[in-house]
Each structure stands twice: as C-alpha cells, then as structure tokens.
Amino acid sequence: MSARSDFPADFAWGTATASYQVEGAAVEDGRTASIWDTFTRVPGAIADSNVGDVADDHYHLFRDDVRVMNQLGVNAYRFSVSWSRILPNGTGVVNRLGVEFYRALIRELIDNGIRPYVTLYHWDLPQVLEDAGGWLARETVDAFVEYTRVVVRELGDLVTDWITLNEPWCSAFLGYASGVHAPGKQLGTRAARAAHHLLLGHGRAVAAIRQEQPAATVGLTLNLYSVRPASDSAADLDAARRADGLQNRLFLEPVLAGAYPQDVLADLGESDWFDANPATDLDEIAVPIDFLGINYYSRHTARAGHARPAGTPSANPGSEFVEFIDTGAPRTQMGWEIHPDGLVDVLEQANAYRSDLPLYVTENGAAYEDVPDASGYVHDEGRRDYIEKHIDACAEAIRRGLPLNGYFIWSLMDNFEWAWGFSRRFGLAYVDYATQARTLKKSGRWLAEFLGTVSA
Ligand code: FCB
C-alpha cells in the first residue's frame, strides 16, 4: 500500500467533472443547447430517460462543491467549460454571464488553494454547430479555435493549465459511429473524419493558447486502454492490433509522432480521405504539448469474433468483428474489468513516444451501486479499493521512472453519466438528487485520510 509520501510534494491530487454532467442551469443566463441537450431528449437514448437540465446544480452550488474538495484535501480540480454558455451562437457574441460563472468558480478554487485544470471541450458541442455539420465539418475546427481564444482571454489571468479535448475517441466513435453518445450518428468508418477534425482542432487550439498566453501549460486528454490479445493465434493478435490501433494509436501517433498509423487507416478504409487533407494538418496536430492527460478505467482483451452484417453500428467501425472477452477479473457496475496494472501499461505506452513528456492521470474511478444507510452514509468499499489500487499503480509508475505529475479521480460527486443518466454513480461524494445534498462516501473519507487532511 502506498502513501502520499511516495509521491512528489508538488504532485497534483484532484477530482474531475465535466460541464454537462454537473452544472445544470441549462437554460439560464444565456446558455443555449448543446448536442447533449438535444440527444438526451431522443426517446431511448438515455437509460433512465433523464436529462442534464439540473444535474448537480453545480452552477448555483459550486461553493458547496469547493467545500467538498476541501474536505477531501485535494489540491487540484479538473472541470470543463460549456462552449454554449460562453458563445451561445457557437461563434461570435460572448456571453458575459457565462464568463462570470467560471471566473467566480475559479476564484473560489484559488482562494481555497485548489489549482484549476480547465478542459475546453468535454463533448458538449453547441447544437448550432452540429446543425452546420458538427465535427464532420472542417469549419468546426475554426469555431473551436475562436472559442478557445475567447476562453483563454477571459480566464487566462486566473488559469494556466489547459486541456484542449477530453477523449476525442468518444466524440468521434461514440458520437458518429456507434451513436450511443451525442449527436447519435451512425456513420461507420466516416466517424474517423470527425477524429481528424478534433485532432486538428486540438493542434490549432494549442497554438492559439500559446499565442494568447505564452506561460500556458497545454495538454490533451486521451482515453487509453491497455489492450491484450485473447490468445497467440494470428486472428486474435490482429484483433488486438486493431483495437489498440483505433483506441490508442490513432490518437497517440499523430499527436506525439506526427503521423497517422497507416494500418489503422487501412482497417478503416479511410486512407484516401486522410491522404486528401493538406499535408500540413499533421504538422499542426503534432505541435508540441506540455503534457498528456490519460483517462484510464480498464483493459481490453481482444479476440476475433464473428463477422457482423455490414452496416451494424459499432464503436469499432471497420473492425466490427473485434470482441472483448470476459477474463473473469472483477468488474465495476459499468461492466468494466478492474486491472490496476493496465494503468502502468498505458502510461508506458504513451511514454514510449516522448520519454520527457509529463503525464497526468486526468480520470480514473469506478461506478458501484451505492446504497446509503439510514444515516445517509455510503459504505462504498468497492470504489475505495479500486481507487487505492490505482493509486498504488501510480506509485509503481513513478518507481519505474515515468514522469507522472498528477492523479484526478472521476468524480468529485455523483453526476449525469451520459447515456446512463443518473443510474451510474462515480462520486467520492454521494448526491441526493432530490435535495442536492452532498455527503462524502467511505471512498471520499478514505481519500481525505490518505491525503492527510484527517488523521486515521
Ligand atoms: C469518461 C468521461 C467522463 C465520465 C467517465 C466515467 O469517459 O470522460 O465524462 O463519464 O468516463
């Protein structure tokens, strides 16, 4: 078992959230609809038919939430900015009230010794931009850069740590291929084009942030999976290559090595489309970053399964036959297998591209069926154990010499879990959605103890 003293004194210990999942105030103070406001209203899209209109009402209760962070003893907070709160038309006029909300939140954080890490895009594209083509349209890249400049100009006197995108794999392949996330499109391998525009948006946003704020520290957050083959058969080795290719290398290689993995473009059948883009796109995508954020939850063990009928919506377009087997490892309520050593694997995989690149775990956490006792307390031993084991994996990564600078737990508090609505809870604090009361769970109390704010 590791201790806080196994980590550098300036290590970032944080929690993470995202705008649509916590803020609420969906139609207040000038905010307009994002693709999630639209998608949550599609019948059948959300498991419990809920919407994020109110969510955790963080827009009004953020001071309470900073108090929860103080109880936890964290020194960092990763959150995202709602694009349609800042630019209600997607581009153009700036909404002062939206800006003021984030300034008030950030001041509250700083006053409490908590460093803000700001994600510019955590999946909530303004609906008006989706209507104009969304991430399939190259123009969305320009809109993203404009939005980025506005945010950095408006918040840059208070914030220096920026994350351009959260998990572009999800935006592209859950949003435009499987369709389980907003905007709910099922376009097969064409979803890869959205990935390219997201990556180009990332690269240009990095350049724009540096122009606006030379002292900025800028990174990108990818959701990496440790991928293993189910057997040594050629078919399973190929399945693992494809899974790792779509999930990890399609994003790591252009950003960190300036080239797309050709095998993945061939699997997708999209080589011609990618080749037709200006060659300078890759130079822009590969602009040096200051850190890489990694969201890690699980490992995939891949095998070649049965072919699926052409056109079957899948998050692995072009490789629909790839399946992930059940290895028998314990799982969280999401069905995600628990493999703490997979966290070390993905840190090593990223580190192999640029050994000096600082790394952060920008998300890690677990959903469990939380049942408060009569006093409202949740004894979430499963989540506590999950977090402890992944902190141990971080300590192991540091022992191996990996430049790991921080660890952010998903999430500060229960919130709107996308297609699962409120039916999945990831919080260190339990949220009673009827009263909006926040109560630290056992996992939260354990973290506070680990971080040394309370004695054992
Ligand atoms: C990640 C998302 C985050 C949250 C966790 C459980 O993919 O970035 O918003 O939903 O999963």
Side-chain angles (χ1 to χ4, degrees):
M1 201 189 116
S2 48
R4 185 174 188 168
S5 54
D6 297 330
F7 293 82
D10 61 354
F11 196 77
W13 292 99
T15 61
T17 64
S19 45
Y20 187 72
Q21 296 181 274
V22 298
E23 284 179 8
V27 292
E28 250 179 273
D29 290 349
R31 181 186 179 277
T32 57
S34 76
I35 54 176
W36 276 92
D37 297 87
T38 307
F39 184 68
T40 49
R41 285 167 170 83
V42 174
I46 308 300
D48 60 2
S49 306
N50 271 305
V51 300
D53 286 13
V54 177
D56 289 334
D57 200 19
H58 174 72
Y59 189 78
H60 298 110
L61 300 178
F62 69 89
R63 290 192 174 83
D64 294 349
D65 297 334
V66 174
R67 261 196 295 280
V68 175
M69 294 179 218
N70 274 335
Q71 288 176 348
L72 294 170
V74 291
N75 59 17
Y77 178 51
R78 172 177 177 244
F79 64 95
S80 78
V81 172
S82 156
W83 187 339
S84 54
R85 207 183 275 294
I86 299 291
L87 297 178
N89 303 321
T91 57
V93 182
V94 177
N95 177 25
R96 303 303 325 162
L97 293 174
V99 169
E100 283 316 316
F101 163 68
Y102 292 107
R103 293 191 63 82
L105 165 63
I106 294 165
R107 282 206 200 92
E108 187 74 10
L109 291 167
I110 294 171
D111 287 350
N112 283 279
I114 298 167
R115 189 176 175 119
Y117 288 72
V118 176
T119 305
L120 288 152
Y121 184 70
H122 198 127
W123 305 353
D124 45 356
L125 189 71
Q127 181 62 41
V128 62
L129 295 177
E130 179 57 37
D131 295 342
W135 288 110
L136 292 174
R138 200 171 161 99
E139 293 71 30
T140 300
V141 174
D142 301 328
F144 180 60
V145 174
E146 178 182 334
Y147 157 69
T148 296
R149 281 190 192 276
V150 169
V151 174
V152 176
R153 277 181 203 150
E154 297 290 349
L155 307 181
D157 59 324
L158 301 173
V159 174
T160 52
D161 299 284
W162 306 97
I163 293 168
T164 54
L165 305 175
N166 178 68
E167 303 188 354
W169 178 87
C170 293
S171 298
F173 292 108
L174 301 183
Y176 294 93
S178 70
V180 302
H181 278 185
K185 303 257 160 75
Q186 297 177 330
L187 303 175
T189 60
R190 279 173 58 206
R193 303 175 186 188
H196 179 72
H197 294 144
L198 283 152
L199 287 168
L200 186 59
H202 152 76
R204 289 188 181 170
V206 172
I209 295 169
R210 290 207 201 294
Q211 255 178 20
E212 299 291 337
Q213 190 190 41
T217 309
V218 196
L220 162 73
T221 280
L222 299 177
N223 54 324
L224 302 183
Y225 282 78
S226 162
V227 180
R228 298 191 166 183
S231 79
D232 288 342
S233 75
D236 288 350
L237 290 171
D238 182 63
R241 176 193 63 74
R242 285 169 177 264
D244 174 53
L246 262 186
Q247 183 74 55
N248 301 327
R249 290 185 291 116
L250 182 62
F251 298 89
L252 285 169
E253 292 186 14
V255 172
L256 299 181
Y260 278 112
Q262 293 303 318
D263 61 314
V264 180
L265 299 189
D267 294 341
L268 285 159
E270 287 286 332
S271 304
D272 290 350
W273 186 87
F274 276 75
D275 288 348
N277 284 308
T280 48
D281 281 7
L282 274 164
D283 301 334
E284 293 190 87
I285 291 171
V287 59
I289 49 177
D290 301 307
F291 65 90
L292 183 71
I294 295 174
N295 292 353
Y296 174 79
Y297 289 92
S298 190
R299 166 185 288 162
H300 287 326
T301 305
R303 77 156 172 228
H306 296 295
R308 306 232 206 134
T312 308
S314 162
N316 297 315
S319 297
E320 291 85 354
F321 62 90
V322 172
E323 293 175 356
F324 301 131
I325 65 160
D326 180 349
T327 67
R331 294 168 175 257
T332 68
Q333 194 193 1
M334 299 298 280
W336 301 343
E337 289 192 352
I338 302 170
H339 291 286
D341 50 346
L343 175 54
V344 183
D345 295 346
V346 295
L347 292 167
E348 286 190 324
Q349 184 171 1
N351 179 256
Y353 291 96
R354 250 188 69 185
S355 62
D356 60 336
L357 182 66
L359 303 172
Y360 287 83
V361 175
T362 40
E363 281 180 33
N364 174 246
Y368 283 94
E369 233 162 312
D370 294 330
V371 183
D373 68 13
S375 73
Y377 184 55
V378 175
H379 299 258
D380 58 339
E381 175 54 26
R383 183 178 295 106
R384 189 209 64 76
D385 185 63
Y386 180 101
I387 292 168
E388 178 175 18
K389 292 202 164 92
H390 287 78
I391 290 177
D392 287 346
C394 290
E396 171 62 18
I398 288 174
R399 268 194 296 279
R400 292 192 195 182
L402 293 166
L404 181 62
N405 285 7
Y407 173 75
F408 291 75
I409 293 170
W410 187 273
S411 181
L412 169 64
M413 56 189 165
D414 299 332
N415 57 51
F416 187 82
E417 179 48 36
W418 308 114
W420 292 97
F422 297 112
S423 70
R424 293 292 180 277
R425 293 176 178 268
F426 278 86
L428 294 167
Y430 185 84
V431 175
D432 177 338
Y433 293 110
T435 62
Q436 291 293 354
R438 286 84 157 114
T439 310
L440 281 196
K441 303 176 191 174
K442 181 179 186 184
S443 57
R445 290 195 190 174
W446 176 86
L447 184 73
E449 205 172 288
F450 175 85
L451 294 177
T453 56
V454 293
S455 49

